[in-house]
Structures are given as C-alpha cells and as structure tokens.
Amino acid sequence: AHCPSLSWLNLNDNPDMLKGAEGNKACSALAKALPSCSSLVKLGLGGCGMSAEGLAVLATQGVAKSSSLSSLSLCGNSGMLKGAEGQAACTALAQALAACSSLQTLRLASCGMSAEGLAVLATQGVAKSSSLSSLSLCGNSGMLKGAEGQAACTALAQ
C-alpha cells in the first residue's frame, strides 16, 4: 500500500469500525500498510471500538515500523487496555514506543488503562522513547489509585 501524499488519516468516532474479529483484521491490514505510508504523520483511531488484540497488532506491526508517524490518537476505545489482554497491549505499545523514533504525541484518554498498564508503558516505552513529547491519559478512572497508582506515577516521572 503506497500513499505518497496522505499525511493525516482521521477515522475517529466510528464506534463499530474496529470491533470484534473483523475489526482485528482491519487493524492488521492497517498495521501492514502503515510502514509504507511514508507521508502519514497523524493517525486518528479514537472511539473506533478497538480491542486490546487489535492494538497489539497495530503497535507491533505498524507503529514500531513507521518512520513518519508523529501523532497517534486512540482515545475513547473504552476497555481496550483493561485486564490481561489490555496489559499485553500496553506491553506491545510500550515496545513500539521504544522502537518508533518519530512518534511525538500519543493520546490514550478513556481507554481503561490500569496502574499496571501505565507502569509498563512508562518503564518500557516512555522512558525509552527518543521522540515522545506529549502523552494524554485523562479519563482512565482508577489508574492512579493506591500503591500501584503511586508506583506508576513514580515510573512515569523518571
């Protein structure tokens, strides 16, 4: 897939677009195309019903291999980062952050991120990213509660 002049792809607020097995297939297709779209700098996938599995594929096969993507919005994919699958997706996203030298802005508002997910993202992704300058995590209720939340904050601050 070549997209020589496409610089911004905004698919935000398509609530059923990336849901279920078909959505995971769409994430896989997008992930495979992303590295060859050298002019794509902004990708909006907020509120699309993306699952943890879809994010893991997008992160490892697309974001990690992109040389141009500077902004990724995943806001409003509620539940995407919850539970064991969400934790695995956080790990995949953290690894992609460490590998992608162009990503400057990451929006993960209202995605159901836990304190554990934030700790992984902070220590394995944010801390190792050479380019990330803006991270939005608002609307992830409960993420910063208790000892786990404090540890995640400490990891993020380092």
Side-chain angles (χ1 to χ4, degrees), residues 12-13 43 45-50 55 72-82 90 93 105-114 118 121 134-143:
N12 290 327
D13 299 320
L43 179 58
L45 296 171
C48 291
M50 184 182 291
L55 174 58
L72 177 61
S73 177
L74 300 167
C75 298
N77 287 300
S78 59
M80 178 177 70
L81 299 177
K82 285 186 178 174
C90 282
L93 186 56
T105 302
L106 178 59
R107 293 182 180 93
L108 293 169
S110 302
C111 289
M113 183 177 286
S114 65
L118 177 58
L121 190 69
S134 177
L135 177 63
S136 174
L137 297 166
C138 53
N140 288 296
S141 62
M143 178 178 66

Side-chain angles (χ1 to χ4, degrees), residues 2-99:
H2 294 284
C3 38
S5 61
L6 184 65
S7 63
W8 184 22
L9 180 58
N10 185 353
L11 298 170
N12 290 327
D13 299 320
N14 286 294
D16 296 325
M17 184 175 71
L18 299 177
K19 277 189 177 175
E22 290 301 314
N24 290 339
K25 286 180 187 177
C27 284
S28 181
L30 182 59
K32 289 175 184 169
L34 197 56
S36 64
C37 292
S38 60
S39 63
L40 187 65
V41 293
K42 291 183 180 181
L43 179 58
L45 296 171
C48 291
M50 184 182 291
S51 69
E53 182 182 340
L55 174 58
V57 169
L58 181 69
T60 56
Q61 295 178 17
V63 175
K65 297 177 182 179
S66 174
S67 61
S68 61
L69 191 65
S70 66
S71 178
L72 177 61
S73 177
L74 300 167
C75 298
N77 287 300
S78 59
M80 178 177 70
L81 299 177
K82 285 186 178 174
E85 288 181 350
Q87 184 76 12
C90 282
T91 300
L93 186 56
Q95 292 168 349
L97 273 176

